[in-house]
Amino acid sequence: AVVSTQSTGFCVGGSFSLLPTATLKRFGLVYSTANYGLVFTSGACGALLNVLLLNLTRSANLQQQQVQWIIAACLLTSFTFTMFFQFKGFSKGTRYRPLRNE
């Protein structure tokens, strides 16, 4: 139990150090603070939605495999949105191109 708790803390700490840098590289210096605010807030929203989904599945007496299918559908949907969502100012194959001259 101690190892799993430490591993979870390590991963969460890694995301707190990685996400600001990734946001800065993806959106540029001008928009990095506003976009990181959205990225940081999305974690809290996701946690609340996970609790809501868990309560709905437990109150409906769904079995574990049914819950896993629901989670798989959510993951597939978010993966699909990520693959096909195009940011304004970015084209396919472009690693980084700022929206404005910085």
Side-chain angles (χ1 to χ4, degrees):
V2 173
V3 173
S4 64
T5 304
Q6 290 173 345
S7 299
T8 302
F10 182 74
C11 291
V12 169
S15 69
F16 282 131
S17 64
L18 178 68
L19 288 177
T21 306
T23 305
L24 177 68
K25 282 185 163 262
R26 181 66 175 156
F27 298 105
L29 188 60
V30 175
Y31 300 107
S32 64
T33 54
N35 288 327
Y36 181 66
L38 292 173
V39 169
F40 191 73
T41 305
S42 68
C45 295
L48 292 174
L49 289 174
N50 284 334
V51 169
L52 178 65
L53 180 64
L54 179 64
N55 285 334
L56 289 174
T57 56
R58 293 197 74 180
S59 66
N61 291 329
L62 296 177
Q63 295 183 6
Q64 184 178 1
Q65 187 175 9
Q66 293 170 324
V67 174
Q68 288 174 348
W69 281 111
I70 293 170
I71 292 170
C74 291
L75 288 172
L76 184 63
T77 303
S78 64
F79 177 75
T80 304
F81 285 154
T82 303
M83 292 303 296
F84 296 110
F85 184 75
Q86 289 292 316
F87 293 101
K88 183 179 180 182
F90 292 95
S91 62
K92 274 193 169 180
T94 303
R95 182 168 175 203
Y96 170 72
R97 189 174 78 210
L99 296 175
R100 294 185 195 167
N101 292 333
E102 298 175 348

